[in-house]
Amino acid sequence: MDSQLGTRGKHLQRFHFRASLYKQINPFPTQNPALHGVMNQRRKLQQLIFNHLAWAVGSVKPMTELVNLSLTLPLAQFTKMKSRIDVGIVIDLEPARTEDPALSIAGAVQSQKLAVRAISQLQSLPGGDIKLLCDTVVDSVRELTGYDRVMFYKFHEDEHGEVIAENKRDDLEPYIDLHYPSMDIPQASRFLLTQNRVRMIVDCHAIPVRVIQDEGLMKPLCLVGSTLRAPHGCHAQYMENMGTIASLAMAVIIHGNDEEVIDGRNSMRLWGLVVCHHTSSRCIPFPLRYACEFLIQAFGLQLNMELQLASQLLEKHVLRMHLRSSFKAFLEVVKSRSLPWENAEMDAIHSLAS
């Protein structure tokens, strides 16, 4: 990624830095077999952290890299992002400001360090409080990105949305606890967010550029994975009506229910969104967006663990209440009778007591 980092000494320094950051993440020791599913999520979290740190220190490259291109203008630097479609590869060339510290190797590493620190903070929170978890990730994203407003938008079972956490500029109107109909974010948009989990709009007032494609292509190019894809006109108008010029949306994906199994694996479900709004145009460079995506993926794993534990506790509570009500009903029957108990009644007592 950078020719100045090719020496063996610097690679060793980076590996040591990666290892030291990886050790900051708790190993989550446990011997309880009931928490096996939760432990799998924690191992995934550890692997996720290791992969992102490996990229940050230069030992692994994602499908994004800095490239120099000769244009009609003087030499310009771009961030190149590739996405696969049915007929080939779409390459986005995002202009990169060379003076932006976040685009340097040191800036990328610093972004990852901030994300790791935020993840460590999430892991240090007391268990059983999903609201606190959402509040913390919203605070961390706003600290990382500097947007005027950062919200956590949760999808309920009936698919309507609710803002359950918010960190904003003091003079802005609060959106916390507001509910929105399911059509506020249509199913098509939700599907796109599961495919391209980070969506940035720099300026909703920007004039879209027409895509010119080769006549040999039989159908229009699919730009679902493009980071430079222009927002739909309706969405741009929606943003303007809210007084928002720039936005950043990041999908929070969790595992589906046990009943939702595809090819032997639990399906993935869009549980919510971390949404950032800004009242003026704002562009977050790729290394910082990558760090935010890293944070949101780790948050999703942490959230999945909390939801699994909450579900187990609810099942135990329901079972306990069912047993209590059954035993009370049985006692009422016993009290109403003076005859000796039959074998079936004795068996029922033993089954309730076991």
Side-chain angles (χ1 to χ4, degrees):
M1 186 175 292
D2 192 320
S3 60
Q4 296 181 359
L5 295 178
T7 65
R8 176 179 175 82
K10 290 186 177 180
H11 277 300
L12 290 175
Q13 289 176 3
R14 281 194 237 118
F15 181 81
H16 175 72
F17 163 75
R18 177 183 64 194
S20 63
L21 279 180
Y22 183 60
K23 289 179 181 178
Q24 293 179 15
I25 310 304
N26 295 331
F28 309 109
T30 183
Q31 300 297 327
N32 188 350
L35 298 181
H36 179 69
V38 175
M39 291 302 298
N40 286 337
Q41 295 297 317
R42 288 175 171 171
R43 281 191 287 271
K44 289 180 181 179
L45 176 58
Q46 289 179 330
Q47 186 61 47
L48 173 69
I49 292 170
F50 185 83
N51 291 343
H52 279 262
L53 289 178
W55 170 80
V57 298
S59 60
V60 179
K61 288 186 180 180
M63 288 189 66
T64 304
E65 56 190 63
L66 294 179
V67 295
N68 288 325
L69 297 179
S70 296
L71 305 176
T72 54
L73 300 174
L75 193 66
Q77 193 174 59
F78 289 81
T79 302
K80 180 180 70 174
M81 283 157 284
K82 298 177 286 187
S83 58
R84 295 186 180 277
I85 58 174
D86 54 350
V87 295
I89 296 176
V90 174
I91 301 176
D92 288 343
L93 298 177
E94 181 180 310
R97 300 190 305 273
T98 55
E99 71 278 4
D100 194 329
L103 294 175
S104 65
I105 292 295
V109 171
Q110 181 62 21
S111 297
Q112 298 295 322
K113 287 176 63 177
L114 292 174
V116 169
R117 187 180 307 161
I119 293 169
S120 298
Q121 184 179 4
L122 290 175
Q123 294 177 347
S124 66
L125 297 175
D129 194 339
I130 293 178
K131 177 65 168 62
L132 178 60
L133 196 65
C134 294
D135 285 334
T136 304
V137 76
V138 160
D139 294 344
S140 299
V141 170
R142 184 159 188 243
E143 182 181 358
L144 274 169
T145 62
Y147 278 91
D148 291 335
R149 184 199 306 272
V150 179
M151 303 169 288
F152 195 100
Y153 189 95
K154 176 188 174 182
F155 295 117
H156 288 271
E157 293 298 327
D158 62 357
E159 298 187 350
H160 89 276
E162 179 189 3
V163 178
I164 62 173
E166 181 181 43
N167 187 316
K168 67 178 185 65
R169 213 173 63 195
D170 292 338
D171 60 319
L172 295 178
E173 177 186 0
Y175 291 164
I176 187 72
D177 295 331
L178 292 183
H179 291 250
Y180 297 86
S182 58
M183 285 306 297
D184 186 64
I185 301 179
Q187 288 297 326
S189 298
R190 300 187 193 196
F191 173 76
L192 292 179
L193 284 165
T194 61
Q195 303 301 305
N196 189 10
R197 300 185 183 184
V198 178
R199 172 69 167 137
M200 181 178 68
I201 298 175
V202 176
D203 188 343
C204 68
H205 291 153
I207 300 175
V209 177
R210 187 169 66 93
V211 175
I212 302 174
Q213 69 179 58
D214 189 276
E215 295 180 356
L217 295 175
M218 302 301 295
K219 55 184 178 180
L221 288 176
C222 175
L223 298 179
V224 169
S226 171
T227 62
L228 301 180
R229 175 170 51 90
H232 193 279
C234 293
H235 185 68
Q237 186 63 52
Y238 180 79
M239 291 177 61
E240 186 174 358
N241 293 343
M242 296 178 67
T244 299
I245 304 301
S247 69
L248 178 68
M250 294 173 285
V252 176
I253 307 292
I254 65 168
H255 288 292
N257 300 326
D258 292 337
E259 295 82 8
E260 303 173 358
V261 177
I262 300 176
D263 295 332
R265 296 178 300 176
N266 285 348
S267 63
M268 306 302 286
R269 181 163 65 93
L270 181 64
W271 197 82
L273 299 172
V274 174
V275 182
C276 310
H277 286 174
H278 209 66
T279 53
S280 59
S281 62
R282 186 169 186 80
C283 178
I284 302 299
F286 173 77
L288 190 51
R289 295 203 308 272
Y290 194 67
C292 289
E293 182 181 6
F294 170 30
L295 171 60
I296 297 304
Q297 287 185 45
F299 167 78
L301 292 173
Q302 188 82 7
L303 175 65
N304 211 87
M305 288 188 282
E306 291 291 342
L307 292 173
Q308 286 182 0
L309 290 174
S311 177
Q312 292 173 9
L313 291 175
L314 179 61
E315 289 177 359
K316 290 180 180 179
H317 176 72
V318 170
L319 179 60
R320 190 179 300 113
M321 295 302 295
H322 178 70
L323 289 175
R324 286 180 179 176
S325 61
S326 299
F327 192 68
K328 287 181 179 179
F330 179 74
L331 287 180
E332 292 298 325
V333 172
V334 171
K335 289 178 182 178
S336 65
R337 297 177 57 183
S338 59
L339 297 176
W341 293 348
E342 297 181 359
N343 291 336
E345 293 170 338
M346 291 301 298
D347 292 339
I349 292 177
H350 288 302
S351 65
L352 290 174
S354 60

